[in-house]
Amino acid sequence: MQEALKEAKMAEKKGEVPIGCVIVCDSEIIVRTHNLREELQTTASHAEMLAIDKANKIVGSWRLEECTLYATLEPCAMCAGTLLQSRIKAVVFGAYDAKGGCTGTIYNLLSEEKFNHQAQVIGGVLAAECGTILTNFFKKLRVK
């Protein structure tokens, strides 16, 4: 999660919502990303979506069955759905998202038994640090 926080800080420096993400496979970080929605002006440029796309290319498959994704904020519905489709093994996130979290807060797409895949979800890892960077970013934005 510390590495995902480094990515979140990189996003913040670019004026992006500070969300960072890493994907680990075989105990090694294979992907590091952060939000790029403002830079790329695409809806799907969330840190998780970019990470999954990069990991697919590195692994050489759309299946990420041996991988774990770490994100500083609980994934939204779009990201959770893509994680589900990627067959990822586990998702670890920092801050809970009361307005959009779909891996536990509002809903948990990754544990829904009606789907043909489920993933382990661990939330609240370094939650204070992950939440603080977001809170401070939005406070500064409102002042502007």
Side-chain angles (χ1 to χ4, degrees):
M1 192 59 72
Q2 289 289 349
E3 296 301 312
L5 273 164
K6 288 178 187 175
E7 287 293 322
K9 290 172 186 172
M10 290 174 65
E12 184 177 34
K13 287 178 185 174
K14 295 179 179 180
E16 299 279 354
V17 175
I19 298 170
C21 180
V22 298
I23 293 182
V24 174
C25 194
D26 296 324
S27 301
E28 181 182 333
I29 295 174
I30 62 167
V31 172
R32 298 168 184 271
T33 61
H34 52 269
N35 271 8
L36 290 175
R37 280 181 31 176
E38 295 302 324
E39 182 177 318
L40 299 177
Q41 288 298 302
T42 59
T43 304
S45 293
H46 286 198
E48 302 95 324
M49 299 289 283
L50 296 169
I52 292 164
D53 188 51
K54 286 182 180 182
N56 292 147
K57 290 174 180 139
I58 290 167
V59 171
S61 174
W62 62 270
R63 291 179 179 92
L64 301 177
E65 297 166 320
E66 300 303 317
C67 298
T68 299
L69 178 136
Y70 294 80
T72 56
L73 182 66
E74 180 181 1
C76 69
M78 174 178 67
C79 294
T82 303
L83 286 160
L84 179 70
Q85 291 299 313
S86 78
R87 309 297 196 264
I88 201 142
K89 178 175 59 175
V91 174
V92 180
F93 67 86
Y96 287 87
D97 186 354
K99 295 181 180 179
C102 285
T103 57
T105 299
I106 293 174
Y107 190 74
N108 190 342
L109 285 173
L110 298 180
S111 70
E112 177 53 61
E113 292 181 6
K114 292 178 185 174
F115 292 125
N116 63 340
H117 175 76
Q118 292 81 41
Q120 178 185 14
V121 176
I122 300 168
V125 176
L126 299 180
E129 294 93 327
C130 293
T132 298
I133 191 170
L134 285 160
T135 300
N136 291 342
F137 174 81
F138 286 112
K139 278 182 185 176
K140 290 176 191 172
L141 198 61
R142 281 191 289 275
V143 169
K144 286 183 182 179

